[in-house]
Structures are given as C-alpha cells and as structure tokens.
Amino acid sequence: MRAIIVRELGGPEVLAIGERDDPQPKPGEIVAKVAAAGVNYMDIYQRSGIGAYKAQTPYTPGAEGAGTVLAVGEGVTEFAAGDPVAWAGGPGSYAEQVALPAASAVPVPHGFDLKIAAAVMLQGMTAHYLCNSTFPIQEGNITVVHAAAGGVGLLLTQMIKRRGGVVVATASTTAKAVLAQRMGADHVTSYDEFGEAVRRLSGERGASVVFDGVGQATFEASLAALRPRGMMVLYGAASGPVPPFDPQRLNSAGSLFLTRPTLAHYVADRAELLWRAGELFEWLAKGELDVRIGGEYPLADARRAQEDLAARRTTGKLLLIP
Ligand code: NDP
C-alpha cells in the first residue's frame, strides 16, 4: 500500500510518499481502508520532534481518519468487514490502510459521509471534552477561544454556544474573523485586543475560562484576561511551547486554575469514547453542528497540508485523501 513515511525527524520535507506492506490485524485489532485521514497540529509536533510528541523513526504519521473495515483480528466481535468506522487513535493514518485497536474505533452510522466522520473525530472530541468536562460551560460564562477559525476553534465555538456561553474569539485575518462569527462567536478580536474586549463585556471582572491552543504567544495575555478563580485551559502550542511557569503566580493573579489537558485522558475508556463521538455524530446528523473541511489534499501532498497548517493559511479541518 502507499503511505507517507518519515525516515528522520525534521521539517515538512521529511514527509515522503512510499510503499509499505499492507497491515495485518493482530488479536484485538481491525484493519481499515482509509477513506480520509485527518491532519492535526500534533502531527507537526511529532514530525518536528517537540518534547513528549517526539516520534521514533521510521514511522507513518497521522492518528485520525475514517474508512471501511477490511479485516478483523482474533477476538474482535464489535466490527466486521465492510463496517464504516472512524478513529482518533490510529497511529499511521496517513496511508491507504491502517491497523488499530478495535477499542479505539468508533462505528459510523450507515450512510454517514466518511469525510465528515474523519473531519470531526480528533478536533471534535477535543472541543467536546474542553467545554463539557475540563470546564463545563454554564449559561452566561464569558469565555475566550483563541484561533477560533481553526479546526478545534470552530467546533469549540459552536459547542460553547450550545451550552449558553459567551465567546470572545481571536483570529488573525478578517476572513477568519468572519468565519468564526458565522459559527456563533459573539465578539471576534485580534490577539492584541481580546483582553480589552473581555474586560468591557464582563464589567472589568474577567473571563471565566480561556481556551488557549496557541500557547507561547498568547499565554500571558490569556492569564491576565481571567477573573478571580478563572481557569486557564492550555491545550496546545501552535505558536510554540510556554516556558517554565512559577505556580505561585496563580495565587497573585486571583487563585487561578491552570490545566494542560490532552484528549487521551478524556476518552479514557470505551464508554467515554463512544459518548463523545456519538454526540458529535448525532449533532451533525441533526444539523446542529457544522464541520468545515477547509482543505482536501491527495495523500502524496501531506507535506503541503502540514505547511499550510503551520503557516496559518488554513481554516477548519484538513484531510488527506488516499
Ligand atoms: P488550527 O486549525 O487551529 O491551526 C492553528 C491555528 O493557530 C492557526 O490557523 C492560527 O490561527 C493559530 N496560530 C496562532 N499563532 C500561530 C503561530 N505562531 N503559528 C501557527 N498557528 C498559529 O489547528 P488544530 O485545530 O489542529 O489545533 C489547534 C490547537 O489545538 C493546537 O495547538 C493543537 O496542538 C491543539 N490540540 C490539542 C489537543 C489536546 O487534546 N490537547 C487535541 C487537538 C488539538 P490564526 O491565523 O487565526 O491565528
């Protein structure tokens, strides 16, 4: 089969198309034919060798996708050949076929567009846990969503709105601001002005929560935008990692909370995975959630997809089509 193969860590030029043996399912695994693979920021951290994300070479990138079951390993009873499935924990998804634990796969409702399923798994479940579990939004909570026109950002904005929160969003261009507003953001500002917008809206009190996947460039202003006992949810580092931090600062800034969550801990068991994915599929089917596919690339163009994502040229979800 064709797959992207990374032989050494580095810049986007290390993403090369090549040939690998077709995967065979081990006990407890399924093998799926990939209809679409999701491109995520994590794939960039991994390929660049940043911190805990550093990958062992050679490897095939990608964790997310949707497709059709080709074969099941010993002991797998939940899936059979021909079933539509999606996943956010399938290492090696930038490929024509992928093997993954059946426990990481989610059944896709029959007739559901597999591209949409692939587009919503990782960023959708992330947005879901951030505003339902990490900080369960309540009616009227003033929130900040950075990079609101991005993959996670557009979904998170919509999910905060459905829980009754107020979204102060950031975006770097007018076109991105318009998109974020269309998805429900109440106020869209530049990265320099969001603190001021929060102060005005909250009667100088501050935001209940900031969802910050930008990291280094926004961290300080995000902390300063919080109300006493507010929560800083640092969930990514698109602009680079936040430098070491003295926890004493949380005291003087208003007994703040700081968390650095990751999806794996919020789909900790099968029930939680099926709950989050199931709600996403349900909202999509009812037209209550809009997933924007901002770019589709042939598998061989994985390099261009990651370059576009890192250069802030994209909105919504990027997919690779094998
Ligand atoms: P996005 O589609 O949001 O792309 C990143 C966006 O970040 C850009 O479009 C850009 O929007 C903004 N940005 C701001 N500064 C920079 C910069 N210096 N370089 C690049 N981009 C910048 O990506 P994803 O939706 O895939 O991911 C968003 C964040 O969520 C990432 O940090 C990712 O690691 C994190 N994440 C975390 C998960 C978790 O469980 N912890 C799971 C999934 C994603 P603009 O141009 O508007 O500024």
Short mmCIF file of all heavy atoms in Angstrom, two decimals, residues 39-42 45 53 122-123 126-127 129-130 146-154 170-173 176-177 191 212-215 217-218 234-240 260-264 266 308-318, ligand 1:
data_model
loop_
_atom_site.label_atom_id
_atom_site.label_comp_id
_atom_site.label_asym_id
_atom_site.label_seq_id
_atom_site.Cartn_x
_atom_site.Cartn_y
_atom_site.Cartn_z
N VAL A 39 -5.56 15.71 9.30
CA VAL A 39 -4.26 16.35 9.58
C VAL A 39 -4.44 17.17 10.85
O VAL A 39 -5.41 17.94 10.95
CB VAL A 39 -3.85 17.27 8.41
CG1 VAL A 39 -2.53 17.97 8.72
CG2 VAL A 39 -3.75 16.47 7.12
N ASN A 40 -3.55 16.98 11.80
CA ASN A 40 -3.66 17.67 13.08
C ASN A 40 -2.34 18.31 13.47
O ASN A 40 -1.27 17.88 13.03
CB ASN A 40 -4.08 16.68 14.17
CG ASN A 40 -5.52 16.24 13.99
OD1 ASN A 40 -6.44 17.00 14.26
ND2 ASN A 40 -5.71 15.04 13.49
N TYR A 41 -2.45 19.32 14.32
CA TYR A 41 -1.24 20.02 14.74
C TYR A 41 -0.25 19.08 15.42
O TYR A 41 0.96 19.21 15.28
CB TYR A 41 -1.59 21.20 15.66
CG TYR A 41 -0.89 22.44 15.17
CD1 TYR A 41 -1.51 23.31 14.29
CD2 TYR A 41 0.43 22.69 15.53
CE1 TYR A 41 -0.84 24.41 13.79
CE2 TYR A 41 1.09 23.79 15.04
CZ TYR A 41 0.45 24.64 14.17
OH TYR A 41 1.13 25.72 13.67
N MET A 42 -0.82 18.10 16.13
CA MET A 42 0.03 17.11 16.81
C MET A 42 0.97 16.40 15.82
O MET A 42 2.09 16.05 16.17
CB MET A 42 -0.89 16.09 17.48
CG MET A 42 -0.22 15.02 18.28
SD MET A 42 -1.48 13.90 18.91
CE MET A 42 -2.01 13.06 17.42
N TYR A 45 4.02 18.54 15.60
CA TYR A 45 4.90 18.43 16.78
C TYR A 45 5.70 17.13 16.70
O TYR A 45 6.90 17.09 16.98
CB TYR A 45 4.12 18.38 18.10
CG TYR A 45 3.12 19.50 18.37
CD1 TYR A 45 1.93 19.23 19.04
CD2 TYR A 45 3.37 20.81 17.99
CE1 TYR A 45 1.00 20.23 19.31
CE2 TYR A 45 2.43 21.82 18.25
CZ TYR A 45 1.25 21.52 18.91
OH TYR A 45 0.35 22.49 19.18
N TYR A 53 6.04 14.58 22.24
CA TYR A 53 5.43 14.12 20.98
C TYR A 53 6.44 13.45 20.06
O TYR A 53 6.07 12.90 19.03
CB TYR A 53 4.79 15.29 20.23
CG TYR A 53 3.59 15.85 20.94
CD1 TYR A 53 3.70 16.95 21.78
CD2 TYR A 53 2.34 15.25 20.79
CE1 TYR A 53 2.59 17.46 22.44
CE2 TYR A 53 1.24 15.74 21.45
CZ TYR A 53 1.37 16.85 22.27
OH TYR A 53 0.27 17.34 22.92
N LEU A 122 -11.00 13.93 15.93
CA LEU A 122 -9.99 14.37 16.90
C LEU A 122 -10.27 15.79 17.41
O LEU A 122 -10.34 16.04 18.61
CB LEU A 122 -8.60 14.27 16.28
CG LEU A 122 -7.46 14.19 17.28
CD1 LEU A 122 -6.31 13.34 16.75
CD2 LEU A 122 -6.94 15.55 17.69
N GLN A 123 -10.49 16.70 16.47
CA GLN A 123 -10.75 18.07 16.90
C GLN A 123 -12.14 18.19 17.54
O GLN A 123 -12.32 18.98 18.47
CB GLN A 123 -10.61 19.02 15.70
CG GLN A 123 -9.15 19.09 15.23
CD GLN A 123 -8.99 19.69 13.84
OE1 GLN A 123 -9.91 19.66 13.03
NE2 GLN A 123 -7.81 20.21 13.56
N THR A 126 -12.02 16.78 20.99
CA THR A 126 -11.24 17.73 21.82
C THR A 126 -12.13 18.89 22.25
O THR A 126 -12.21 19.22 23.44
CB THR A 126 -10.02 18.24 21.02
OG1 THR A 126 -9.20 17.12 20.72
CG2 THR A 126 -9.23 19.26 21.82
N ALA A 127 -12.81 19.49 21.28
CA ALA A 127 -13.72 20.59 21.63
C ALA A 127 -14.76 20.11 22.64
O ALA A 127 -15.10 20.82 23.59
CB ALA A 127 -14.39 21.11 20.36
N TYR A 129 -14.58 17.64 24.95
CA TYR A 129 -14.14 17.48 26.35
C TYR A 129 -13.76 18.82 26.97
O TYR A 129 -13.96 19.03 28.17
CB TYR A 129 -13.01 16.44 26.48
CG TYR A 129 -11.59 16.91 26.23
CD1 TYR A 129 -10.92 17.73 27.13
CD2 TYR A 129 -10.89 16.50 25.10
CE1 TYR A 129 -9.61 18.14 26.91
CE2 TYR A 129 -9.58 16.90 24.87
CZ TYR A 129 -8.96 17.73 25.77
OH TYR A 129 -7.66 18.14 25.56
N LEU A 130 -13.23 19.75 26.14
CA LEU A 130 -12.79 21.03 26.72
C LEU A 130 -13.96 21.78 27.36
O LEU A 130 -13.83 22.28 28.49
CB LEU A 130 -12.16 21.91 25.63
CG LEU A 130 -10.78 21.49 25.12
CD1 LEU A 130 -10.35 22.36 23.94
CD2 LEU A 130 -9.73 21.55 26.23
N HIS A 146 -9.14 31.05 21.50
CA HIS A 146 -8.10 31.52 20.58
C HIS A 146 -8.13 30.71 19.28
O HIS A 146 -8.52 29.55 19.28
CB HIS A 146 -6.71 31.39 21.23
CG HIS A 146 -6.46 32.43 22.27
ND1 HIS A 146 -6.56 33.78 22.00
CD2 HIS A 146 -6.09 32.35 23.56
CE1 HIS A 146 -6.27 34.48 23.09
NE2 HIS A 146 -5.99 33.62 24.07
N ALA A 147 -7.64 31.33 18.22
CA ALA A 147 -7.60 30.67 16.89
C ALA A 147 -8.97 30.07 16.57
O ALA A 147 -9.07 28.90 16.21
CB ALA A 147 -6.50 29.61 16.84
N ALA A 148 -10.00 30.89 16.70
CA ALA A 148 -11.37 30.38 16.62
C ALA A 148 -11.76 29.91 15.22
O ALA A 148 -12.76 29.21 15.07
CB ALA A 148 -12.35 31.45 17.09
N ALA A 149 -10.99 30.27 14.20
CA ALA A 149 -11.31 29.79 12.84
C ALA A 149 -10.58 28.50 12.51
O ALA A 149 -10.70 27.97 11.40
CB ALA A 149 -10.97 30.87 11.81
N GLY A 150 -9.81 27.99 13.47
CA GLY A 150 -9.05 26.74 13.24
C GLY A 150 -9.94 25.52 13.40
O GLY A 150 -11.15 25.62 13.64
N GLY A 151 -9.32 24.35 13.28
CA GLY A 151 -10.05 23.09 13.36
C GLY A 151 -10.77 22.95 14.70
O GLY A 151 -12.00 22.78 14.75
N VAL A 152 -10.02 23.02 15.79
CA VAL A 152 -10.66 22.92 17.11
C VAL A 152 -11.52 24.16 17.35
O VAL A 152 -12.65 24.07 17.84
CB VAL A 152 -9.61 22.79 18.24
CG1 VAL A 152 -10.29 22.80 19.60
CG2 VAL A 152 -8.77 21.52 18.08
N GLY A 153 -11.00 25.33 16.98
CA GLY A 153 -11.65 26.60 17.31
C GLY A 153 -13.09 26.70 16.81
O GLY A 153 -13.98 27.13 17.56
N LEU A 154 -13.33 26.32 15.56
CA LEU A 154 -14.68 26.46 15.00
C LEU A 154 -15.66 25.54 15.72
O LEU A 154 -16.82 25.89 15.96
CB LEU A 154 -14.68 26.13 13.51
CG LEU A 154 -14.07 27.18 12.58
CD1 LEU A 154 -14.03 26.65 11.14
CD2 LEU A 154 -14.85 28.49 12.63
N THR A 170 -10.48 34.96 19.02
CA THR A 170 -9.39 35.63 18.33
C THR A 170 -9.16 34.95 16.98
O THR A 170 -9.39 33.75 16.82
CB THR A 170 -8.07 35.59 19.12
OG1 THR A 170 -7.74 34.23 19.39
CG2 THR A 170 -8.16 36.37 20.42
N ALA A 171 -8.70 35.77 16.03
CA ALA A 171 -8.35 35.26 14.69
C ALA A 171 -7.42 36.29 14.06
O ALA A 171 -7.48 37.47 14.40
CB ALA A 171 -9.60 35.08 13.85
N SER A 172 -6.59 35.82 13.13
CA SER A 172 -5.53 36.72 12.62
C SER A 172 -5.93 37.50 11.37
O SER A 172 -5.23 38.44 11.00
CB SER A 172 -4.27 35.91 12.32
OG SER A 172 -4.51 35.01 11.25
N THR A 173 -7.01 37.12 10.71
CA THR A 173 -7.39 37.85 9.49
C THR A 173 -8.90 38.13 9.51
O THR A 173 -9.65 37.48 10.25
CB THR A 173 -7.10 37.01 8.21
OG1 THR A 173 -7.98 35.87 8.20
CG2 THR A 173 -5.65 36.55 8.14
N LYS A 176 -10.92 35.06 8.52
CA LYS A 176 -11.06 34.10 9.63
C LYS A 176 -12.05 34.62 10.66
O LYS A 176 -12.84 33.86 11.23
CB LYS A 176 -9.69 33.84 10.27
CG LYS A 176 -8.76 33.00 9.40
CD LYS A 176 -7.48 32.64 10.15
CE LYS A 176 -6.60 31.72 9.32
NZ LYS A 176 -5.46 31.18 10.06
N ALA A 177 -12.02 35.94 10.90
CA ALA A 177 -12.94 36.53 11.88
C ALA A 177 -14.39 36.34 11.43
O ALA A 177 -15.26 36.00 12.23
CB ALA A 177 -12.62 38.01 12.06
N TYR A 191 -5.42 39.35 18.38
CA TYR A 191 -4.72 38.80 19.55
C TYR A 191 -4.27 39.91 20.50
O TYR A 191 -3.97 39.64 21.66
CB TYR A 191 -3.52 37.95 19.09
CG TYR A 191 -3.93 36.64 18.47
CD1 TYR A 191 -4.05 36.50 17.09
CD2 TYR A 191 -4.24 35.54 19.26
CE1 TYR A 191 -4.44 35.31 16.51
CE2 TYR A 191 -4.63 34.34 18.70
CZ TYR A 191 -4.73 34.22 17.33
OH TYR A 191 -5.13 33.03 16.77
N ASP A 212 -6.86 28.02 25.29
CA ASP A 212 -5.69 28.53 24.58
C ASP A 212 -4.89 27.38 23.95
O ASP A 212 -4.18 26.65 24.65
CB ASP A 212 -4.81 29.32 25.57
CG ASP A 212 -3.71 30.08 24.87
OD1 ASP A 212 -3.37 29.74 23.72
OD2 ASP A 212 -3.17 31.03 25.48
N GLY A 213 -5.02 27.24 22.63
CA GLY A 213 -4.22 26.24 21.91
C GLY A 213 -3.07 26.90 21.16
O GLY A 213 -2.37 26.23 20.40
N VAL A 214 -2.90 28.20 21.35
CA VAL A 214 -1.82 28.92 20.66
C VAL A 214 -0.54 28.85 21.48
O VAL A 214 0.56 28.69 20.95
CB VAL A 214 -2.26 30.37 20.34
CG1 VAL A 214 -1.11 31.21 19.83
CG2 VAL A 214 -3.39 30.36 19.31
N GLY A 215 -0.66 28.98 22.81
CA GLY A 215 0.50 28.73 23.67
C GLY A 215 1.36 29.95 23.91
O GLY A 215 0.89 30.98 24.39
N ALA A 217 2.63 32.53 22.43
CA ALA A 217 2.33 33.92 22.03
C ALA A 217 1.17 34.52 22.82
O ALA A 217 1.06 35.75 22.92
CB ALA A 217 2.02 33.95 20.53
N THR A 218 0.29 33.71 23.37
CA THR A 218 -0.94 34.22 23.99
C THR A 218 -1.02 33.97 25.50
O THR A 218 -1.87 34.51 26.17
CB THR A 218 -2.17 33.54 23.34
OG1 THR A 218 -1.89 32.15 23.21
CG2 THR A 218 -2.48 34.14 21.99
N LEU A 234 -4.81 25.44 28.87
CA LEU A 234 -3.75 25.47 27.86
C LEU A 234 -3.74 24.11 27.19
O LEU A 234 -3.31 23.13 27.77
CB LEU A 234 -2.41 25.74 28.56
CG LEU A 234 -1.19 25.73 27.66
CD1 LEU A 234 -1.19 26.92 26.71
CD2 LEU A 234 0.09 25.74 28.50
N TYR A 235 -4.28 24.05 25.97
CA TYR A 235 -4.43 22.71 25.35
C TYR A 235 -3.56 22.53 24.12
O TYR A 235 -3.68 21.51 23.43
CB TYR A 235 -5.90 22.42 25.06
CG TYR A 235 -6.53 23.22 23.97
CD1 TYR A 235 -6.60 22.72 22.67
CD2 TYR A 235 -7.04 24.49 24.20
CE1 TYR A 235 -7.16 23.46 21.65
CE2 TYR A 235 -7.59 25.23 23.19
CZ TYR A 235 -7.65 24.71 21.92
OH TYR A 235 -8.20 25.45 20.89
N GLY A 236 -2.68 23.47 23.83
CA GLY A 236 -1.81 23.29 22.67
C GLY A 236 -0.77 24.39 22.58
O GLY A 236 -0.71 25.29 23.45
N ALA A 237 0.04 24.32 21.55
CA ALA A 237 1.20 25.21 21.44
C ALA A 237 1.48 25.53 19.97
O ALA A 237 2.60 25.40 19.50
CB ALA A 237 2.41 24.55 22.09
N ALA A 238 0.46 26.01 19.25
CA ALA A 238 0.65 26.29 17.82
C ALA A 238 1.74 27.33 17.58
O ALA A 238 2.42 27.30 16.56
CB ALA A 238 -0.68 26.74 17.20
N SER A 239 1.94 28.23 18.55
CA SER A 239 2.98 29.27 18.38
C SER A 239 4.27 28.89 19.09
O SER A 239 5.22 29.66 19.09
CB SER A 239 2.49 30.60 18.92
OG SER A 239 2.37 30.53 20.33
N GLY A 240 4.29 27.73 19.72
CA GLY A 240 5.47 27.29 20.47
C GLY A 240 5.11 27.02 21.91
O GLY A 240 4.07 27.49 22.40
N ARG A 260 -3.37 21.55 31.68
CA ARG A 260 -2.81 21.26 30.35
C ARG A 260 -3.35 19.89 29.94
O ARG A 260 -2.68 18.87 30.10
CB ARG A 260 -1.28 21.30 30.41
CG ARG A 260 -0.56 20.90 29.11
CD ARG A 260 -1.02 21.76 27.93
NE ARG A 260 -0.33 21.42 26.68
CZ ARG A 260 -0.81 20.57 25.77
NH1 ARG A 260 -1.95 19.91 25.97
NH2 ARG A 260 -0.15 20.37 24.65
N PRO A 261 -4.60 19.88 29.43
CA PRO A 261 -5.27 18.61 29.17
C PRO A 261 -4.89 18.01 27.81
O PRO A 261 -4.42 18.71 26.91
CB PRO A 261 -6.75 19.01 29.14
CG PRO A 261 -6.73 20.41 28.59
CD PRO A 261 -5.44 21.03 29.06
N THR A 262 -5.15 16.72 27.66
CA THR A 262 -4.95 16.06 26.37
C THR A 262 -6.06 15.03 26.14
O THR A 262 -6.59 14.45 27.10
CB THR A 262 -3.54 15.44 26.30
OG1 THR A 262 -3.23 15.20 24.93
CG2 THR A 262 -3.41 14.14 27.06
N LEU A 263 -6.43 14.85 24.88
CA LEU A 263 -7.61 14.04 24.53
C LEU A 263 -7.58 12.64 25.12
O LEU A 263 -8.59 12.14 25.60
CB LEU A 263 -7.74 13.98 22.99
CG LEU A 263 -8.86 13.09 22.44
CD1 LEU A 263 -10.23 13.55 22.92
CD2 LEU A 263 -8.82 13.06 20.91
N ALA A 264 -6.41 12.00 25.09
CA ALA A 264 -6.34 10.59 25.52
C ALA A 264 -6.93 10.39 26.92
O ALA A 264 -7.58 9.38 27.19
CB ALA A 264 -4.89 10.10 25.49
N TYR A 266 -9.30 12.03 28.21
CA TYR A 266 -10.73 12.33 28.22
C TYR A 266 -11.53 11.36 27.34
O TYR A 266 -12.72 11.52 27.15
CB TYR A 266 -10.97 13.78 27.77
CG TYR A 266 -10.64 14.79 28.86
CD1 TYR A 266 -9.36 15.32 28.98
CD2 TYR A 266 -11.61 15.21 29.77
CE1 TYR A 266 -9.05 16.26 29.95
CE2 TYR A 266 -11.32 16.16 30.75
CZ TYR A 266 -10.04 16.67 30.83
OH TYR A 266 -9.76 17.60 31.81
N ASP A 308 0.74 24.30 5.02
CA ASP A 308 -0.36 25.26 5.05
C ASP A 308 -0.86 25.46 6.48
O ASP A 308 -1.14 26.57 6.91
CB ASP A 308 -1.51 24.79 4.15
CG ASP A 308 -1.17 24.94 2.66
OD1 ASP A 308 -0.17 25.61 2.33
OD2 ASP A 308 -1.92 24.37 1.83
N LEU A 309 -0.97 24.34 7.22
CA LEU A 309 -1.47 24.42 8.61
C LEU A 309 -0.51 25.25 9.47
O LEU A 309 -0.93 26.15 10.21
CB LEU A 309 -1.63 23.00 9.18
CG LEU A 309 -2.20 22.88 10.59
CD1 LEU A 309 -3.59 23.50 10.69
CD2 LEU A 309 -2.27 21.41 11.02
N ALA A 310 0.78 24.96 9.36
CA ALA A 310 1.77 25.65 10.20
C ALA A 310 1.90 27.13 9.82
O ALA A 310 2.26 27.96 10.67
CB ALA A 310 3.12 24.96 10.08
N ALA A 311 1.61 27.45 8.55
CA ALA A 311 1.76 28.84 8.10
C ALA A 311 0.48 29.66 8.32
O ALA A 311 0.38 30.77 7.82
CB ALA A 311 2.16 28.87 6.62
N ARG A 312 -0.48 29.12 9.00
CA ARG A 312 -1.73 29.81 9.35
C ARG A 312 -2.56 30.15 8.12
O ARG A 312 -3.34 31.10 8.15
CB ARG A 312 -1.46 31.08 10.15
CG ARG A 312 -0.58 30.86 11.35
CD ARG A 312 -0.07 32.14 11.96
NE ARG A 312 -1.07 32.83 12.77
CZ ARG A 312 -0.76 33.76 13.67
NH1 ARG A 312 0.49 34.10 13.88
NH2 ARG A 312 -1.71 34.36 14.36
N ARG A 313 -2.40 29.34 7.05
CA ARG A 313 -3.14 29.64 5.83
C ARG A 313 -4.49 28.94 5.80
O ARG A 313 -5.24 29.09 4.83
CB ARG A 313 -2.34 29.15 4.59
CG ARG A 313 -1.13 30.00 4.28
CD ARG A 313 -0.58 29.68 2.90
NE ARG A 313 0.18 28.44 2.86
CZ ARG A 313 1.51 28.37 3.01
NH1 ARG A 313 2.22 29.47 3.19
NH2 ARG A 313 2.13 27.20 2.96
N THR A 314 -4.82 28.16 6.83
CA THR A 314 -6.00 27.29 6.74
C THR A 314 -7.08 27.67 7.74
O THR A 314 -6.82 28.35 8.74
CB THR A 314 -5.61 25.82 7.01
OG1 THR A 314 -5.16 25.71 8.37
CG2 THR A 314 -4.50 25.38 6.08
N THR A 315 -8.29 27.19 7.46
CA THR A 315 -9.39 27.26 8.42
C THR A 315 -10.00 25.86 8.51
O THR A 315 -9.88 25.07 7.57
CB THR A 315 -10.49 28.24 7.96
OG1 THR A 315 -10.93 27.85 6.66
CG2 THR A 315 -9.98 29.67 7.92
N GLY A 316 -10.62 25.58 9.63
CA GLY A 316 -11.32 24.30 9.78
C GLY A 316 -10.39 23.11 9.66
O GLY A 316 -9.21 23.17 10.03
N LYS A 317 -10.93 22.03 9.08
CA LYS A 317 -10.24 20.73 9.07
C LYS A 317 -9.52 20.47 7.76
O LYS A 317 -10.06 20.73 6.69
CB LYS A 317 -11.31 19.64 9.27
CG LYS A 317 -10.75 18.25 9.31
CD LYS A 317 -10.08 18.01 10.62
CE LYS A 317 -9.00 16.99 10.57
NZ LYS A 317 -8.29 16.90 11.85
N LEU A 318 -8.33 19.92 7.83
CA LEU A 318 -7.61 19.49 6.64
C LEU A 318 -7.65 17.96 6.56
O LEU A 318 -7.40 17.28 7.56
CB LEU A 318 -6.15 19.94 6.70
CG LEU A 318 -5.92 21.45 6.89
CD1 LEU A 318 -4.43 21.76 6.73
CD2 LEU A 318 -6.74 22.26 5.90
P1 NDP B 1 -5.68 25.03 13.84
O1 NDP B 1 -6.53 24.73 12.66
O2 NDP B 1 -6.30 25.78 14.96
O3 NDP B 1 -4.39 25.79 13.34
C1 NDP B 1 -3.61 26.52 14.23
C2 NDP B 1 -4.07 27.98 14.29
O4 NDP B 1 -3.40 28.59 15.37
C3 NDP B 1 -3.67 28.79 13.07
O5 NDP B 1 -4.57 28.69 11.99
C4 NDP B 1 -3.62 30.18 13.63
O6 NDP B 1 -4.89 30.83 13.56
C5 NDP B 1 -3.29 29.96 15.13
N1 NDP B 1 -1.93 30.44 15.43
C6 NDP B 1 -1.64 31.47 16.25
N2 NDP B 1 -0.32 31.67 16.29
C7 NDP B 1 0.25 30.76 15.47
C8 NDP B 1 1.58 30.51 15.08
N3 NDP B 1 2.61 31.23 15.55
N4 NDP B 1 1.82 29.51 14.21
C9 NDP B 1 0.81 28.78 13.73
N5 NDP B 1 -0.50 28.99 14.06
C10 NDP B 1 -0.78 29.98 14.93
O7 NDP B 1 -5.06 23.68 14.38
P2 NDP B 1 -5.77 22.50 15.18
O8 NDP B 1 -7.22 22.76 15.30
O9 NDP B 1 -5.32 21.22 14.60
O10 NDP B 1 -5.10 22.62 16.60
C11 NDP B 1 -5.28 23.77 17.40
C12 NDP B 1 -4.53 23.57 18.70
O11 NDP B 1 -5.19 22.55 19.43
C13 NDP B 1 -3.09 23.12 18.51
O12 NDP B 1 -2.30 23.77 19.47
C14 NDP B 1 -3.16 21.65 18.83
O13 NDP B 1 -1.97 21.14 19.32
C15 NDP B 1 -4.23 21.64 19.90
N6 NDP B 1 -4.88 20.36 20.11
C16 NDP B 1 -4.85 19.85 21.37
C17 NDP B 1 -5.47 18.70 21.68
C18 NDP B 1 -5.49 18.24 23.10
O14 NDP B 1 -6.20 17.29 23.45
N7 NDP B 1 -4.75 18.87 23.98
C19 NDP B 1 -6.11 17.87 20.64
C20 NDP B 1 -6.17 18.53 19.35
C21 NDP B 1 -5.55 19.72 19.10
P3 NDP B 1 -4.90 32.43 13.32
O15 NDP B 1 -4.25 32.63 11.97
O16 NDP B 1 -6.31 32.82 13.38
O17 NDP B 1 -4.06 33.00 14.43
#
